[in-house]
Structures are given as C-alpha cells and as structure tokens.
Amino acid sequence: MAIDDASIERVRKAADIVAVVGEYVRLKRAGRNHVGLCPFHEEKTPSFNVNPARQFYHCFGCGVGGDVFSFVMEMENLDFPESVRLLAQRYNVQITETGRRDDGSGKRRREALHELLEQAAVFYRRLLDAEAGKPGRDFLDNRRVEGHLRQAFGLGYAPPEWDALARAFTRRGVPEERLVETGLCARSPKSGRIYDRLRNRVIFPVRDLRGRVIGFGGRDLSGEERAPKYLNSPETPLYHKGEVLYGLDLARRELRNAPALLVEGYLDVISLHGAGHPTASAPLGTALTDRQAALLGRYADDHGVIVLFDGDAAGRSAALRSLVGLVNTGIAVRVATPPPGSDPDDVAREGGRNAVDALIDGAVELDDFIVHALVERHEYSTTTGKLELLDELTRLLLLVKERVARDLIIDRFADKLGVDERSLRLDLRRRLKENRRGEAPAHRTGAQRDEARPPAGEEVIVRPLRLAQDVRLLLWLLFNDNERRRLLRGELEVELFPPELRPAVARALDADLDELPPVPATADLLEPQARTALFEAVDGEIHPDEREMARRACVTSLRDRARRRELLKLRAELKEAYRRGDKERVHELLERRQKLEKS
C-alpha cells in the first residue's frame, strides 16, 4: 500500500536522526553536530557526521548521505515504505496506507513468504506444547532450556511424520510451490509429492534483525546415524545463511553494555542467554563469513568480540577461521576456550553464570590465540614443521588486512619460535608477495567482487568539489535561510554556479518558501564530489547579524566573477575573429564587450 505524505512527515518528526543513527553507530557530540565512525566503509578517524538541526547525515570519507529513512534503508536493507513502517512501529506513530501496493509483485511475494514462515513458527511452537511434542520437551528439559528461553527464542517441535506440516498448510489453501519456495518442504523427484524438510526435530526459528522468521534449524531426535544432527533451511529468497547470525536480533541492543560473544551453535546461544549473557550469537553451521563479521562488527564496536568455540581441535580451527573476518572489521577480538571436550553450552549448563564469567575472564588476546593454535598443529622444533608452520601463517596473514594485527602476530611468532623478528618479517614478506602473485584472486569471493563499497580496511576518500567562498555561503543561505532565499530568487541565475551544483541550486530556488529545502533529497541529484561539497557547505553556520551582508557581497562577487569569465571568453573570440578577418563578427563582439564592461 502507498503511505500518505502526512504519515511520512509524522514519522520523520518522531524519529530523531541522532537517536536512530545512535542505535548503530557510536556518536560523540562535536559542536552542533555528532560524529562517529562511518558504518558504510572502514575508517579509523571519524568522518561520519549527523546534523540534528537539519536531520541529515553525511560521511566526508565515502560520500554517502541522506535522512533518517535512507539510513534505515541502508542499515536494514529495506525499501522506502519498509523503512517508514519500521520507524513508525519503533516510535509508535500511526500511519495511513491507501490504494494498491506500489512496490511490485516481488515485494508482495516476499511479504507472503514472511507471513508463511511466521505461521510455520506458530505451528511448530504449538506442537512443542501439545501431547505430541513430548520428545521435544524431554530433550529441552534434559538440556535445561527453561520455559522463558523457549518462549524468547520461539522454540518448537517437528513430528516424525513425513508431511505433517505439508498436510496442515495445504488444507489451509497454501500452494505447494510456496511451501517449497520457503524451504519448509521439498518435492520428491520420484513421486512428485511434497514432504516436510524438518522431521522429528527440535525447531530453532532463525530471525532477521527485525525479529522476522526467515528460516529454521532443527536438532535431530531420532538418533539415527544417517540423520544429520543439525539441519538448516536451504537458501531461499529470504534466507541466506552466510548473511545472518542466530540470536543477533535479541543480542544487538545488549551490545552497548558488554562484548559480543560469538559461539558455534543454537544451544550455545540459548544457554549463554540463560546464564545472564544476552550478547551471544552464532553463525549457522558454517565458518563465519565476511558479511557476518561485518554485521557483528557494526554492533560490537564499543566492547569488541569474544569468540567461544568448542574446546577441541575442531573448535579451535573454527575459531581461527572466524578470527580473520572479525579482525578485518577493525574491532577488538579475544578468544575464550572451554575445557577440552566441552562447549559453551556445557559450561553454562553445568556451572551457570559464574562458570561462564570465569571462562570469559580467561579470554586471551588475538595474537596469543593464533600463535598457540598454529604452533600446536606443527612440530615446529623440526625444520620441516617450522616450514609448514610458516606456510600456514603466510596463508593466514594474506587474509588479514589490518596491518597492526599482522605486526602483532608476527612479533608473537618471533618470540615463540626464538628467531630474529626482523628476519621473520623479511621471510614472511617474501612469502606474502609470492602468494599474492599466485593465489590472491582465489581469496576474493563473488560477493566481494560485486560489492559497490570499498573492501574492509581500504580507506577511500571522496574529495569534495572545491568551491569559492561566495558559492559556499550562498549555498548555506539557500538551504538554511528562507528569508534570504526569497531575495536570492530574484538575484541569481542557476548558470552562475558551477555546472556540478546547478541541479541542487535549481531545486533550492524553486522549493516552497514555507519550509527549508530538503538537503538529502537534493544531494541525491548530484555526483559524489558535488554531493560532499553541498553537505559541507550546508553544514556550516553564518551568524544571523551577518547573513544580509553575506547575501549582498556574495551575489556581487559571483556576478563579478561570471562577468570576468565572459570578458575572457570574448577576448579569445575577438582574437579569432580578427585573425579570420570577420568584420561583422568583430563588431558584434565589441558591442557585447562594451555592455559587459559598463555593467
């Protein structure tokens, strides 16, 4: 449905941009504005600026900018109507939607899939509470998952029947293809009939950051060898397992106060939440991807991440793989290792909060863990073992983009191996160069190649268009002072401004005088360099007592400069006309020059 303009304005007024951005970015006051590290590109010096007076944001590093709606659209991967609805819900604003949906069949299809998955989650939850759900309840009782945790995570139960969900939902009129599309069911290639993907399992709904169900995981209860212990939904239009973290929808608001805890599995997350550590989340059956690391890094910037994987060799290997992506986000990373043969779920169930606290307190720094994890896998006392260790270290460092992290790791290895740090660094540098020539392209995924923004760790600066002082001041007046803008309408032509800025000037001159021109929407008309220049100019300040003087002086200065440019152009044309002997053209140009010199 289309959202009416009045509703959009009510939401815009209720959703203060500093508060909204502050949920994702750590902001600090800087004069009239707030600044922080840009969430859209990697940087070490804050260049992300939020203007509360005009309710817009802009990054002077990568050039992005906009209003509260565009920020939510970027951060939550939403379209405009979805961002309005999300903020309306968050700030308890009633909105009016009228007419037919204007967002296309694709949007309607996604909404239908979301609704179907929510219904499936209810179906599984009710089965867990029913008599048939006793096997699921027994399993959860044995794992000490209490009622409030079952409710918070929406846990459910899938019975052993091949088509319990399929039959229930087709009776409701749900098309079979829709059940297959959501990953709830699969179609038999032999019979052509659909059947439930998840059977005889405890069900873990997987939710996006907005708390909407997008897929499911299931823990097997049959004990059969051929049945996978955990089974997840397949990739669907809504569910991409490499882009979501289980439990982050609940954990993200707690990350302002404590470090993120990254664990391996569903029950690890739930048990840590139950033990008083609600910042736990987990990848979904795979090594942590770059996208998942970036997602976690967005919320864990204040207190960093503590990785808690299983205490066996496989767990340490998984932790090692996950560390690279986290390090490249620039956040602080530590590693806590449970006792051998146990996992965070065991620690939480058997020792409660005190045991988890002790485990976290014993977390080691990133470089210490990497040294220990690699050294224990190689006989580094032998020449062969040492060379194998250096080969693996080189492959790891090839993926670490943060130079400080690389240096720390190299220093620690030099100490551990008892070799000269400078010699080790030179040897590794040679190995890195050889690997980059032969292997670097293999480490870039298709998603990374397609990513529009710069890779993590690569500082990209959008240089603003250089503006004369009179142009800067006139832009400020056009977008911040309606009284002067009314006067400037009769004094300025768009052609007096640099071509790159003319769309914005035209929009400002034509905008309604009852309210200030919208900066983000106007900036969207411009190329990145001009957009950055506009945000810089508008974000300044002119004292009220100086504005009228600035208007008069800048209009005069701008016109004088335009007249000088025109005189230079006429002189060049006169020279050419004299050279050709074109008397008529010479006469015409002399008359124009005379008028200009008198003006």
Side-chain angles (χ1 to χ4, degrees), residues 160-185:
E161 289 83 5
W162 276 81
D163 60 353
L165 182 143
R167 282 186 289 106
F169 277 74
T170 52
R171 279 199 300 264
R172 300 180 190 179
V174 178
E176 289 186 353
E177 287 309 314
R178 187 64 55 80
L179 292 169
V180 172
E181 188 177 18
T182 55
L184 292 169
C185 297

Side-chain angles (χ1 to χ4, degrees), residues 21 24-28 34-50 57-66 71 74-75 294 297-299 301 328-331 453-462:
V21 173
Y24 305 86
V25 179
R26 185 179 183 182
L27 296 174
K28 294 181 180 179
H34 293 73
V35 298
L37 294 174
C38 180
F40 304 117
H41 83 287
E42 292 295 329
E43 62 177 3
K44 296 180 175 62
T45 302
S47 62
F48 188 77
N49 194 285
V50 181
Y57 67 91
H58 178 66
C59 176
F60 295 107
C62 65
V64 300
F71 182 82
E74 285 284 342
M75 299 302 291
R298 184 195 303 170
Y299 297 101
D301 183 57
N328 288 336
T329 67
I331 58 177
R453 297 192 183 102
E458 184 175 317
E459 194 88 8
V460 173
I461 303 297
V462 176

Side-chain angles (χ1 to χ4, degrees), residues 403-470:
R403 183 173 179 177
V404 173
R406 284 202 306 267
D407 288 345
L408 284 172
I409 294 168
I410 291 171
D411 290 345
R412 290 287 290 111
F413 265 96
D415 289 342
K416 184 69 176 178
L417 299 177
V419 299
D420 177 64
E421 181 266 338
R422 184 172 178 275
S423 299
L424 178 61
R425 193 177 296 277
L426 289 172
D427 187 30
L428 288 171
R429 187 177 298 164
R430 175 183 59 79
R431 290 168 177 268
L432 284 169
K433 285 181 179 178
E434 291 173 357
N435 274 274
R436 282 197 177 101
R437 282 197 297 268
E439 299 178 21
H443 293 291
R444 293 191 64 202
T445 66
Q448 287 172 323
R449 286 191 294 270
D450 295 338
E451 197 68 42
R453 297 192 183 102
E458 184 175 317
E459 194 88 8
V460 173
I461 303 297
V462 176
R463 304 289 180 191
L465 185 70
R466 294 185 64 179
L467 302 180
Q469 180 70 356
D470 51 10

Side-chain angles (χ1 to χ4, degrees), residues 307 316 319-320 323 327 333-337 361-377 380 389 393 396-397 404-417:
V307 179
R316 287 191 292 276
L320 196 59
L323 285 175
V327 168
V333 182
R334 291 180 289 155
V335 183
T337 306
D361 289 342
V364 299
E365 296 298 328
L366 161 78
D367 50 315
D368 287 326
F369 174 79
I370 290 177
V371 169
H372 178 73
L374 291 188
V375 165
E376 74 173 359
R377 288 153 66 163
Y380 74 94
L389 189 155
L393 175 60
L396 177 69
L397 293 177
V404 173
R406 284 202 306 267
D407 288 345
L408 284 172
I409 294 168
I410 291 171
D411 290 345
R412 290 287 290 111
F413 265 96
D415 289 342
K416 184 69 176 178
L417 299 177

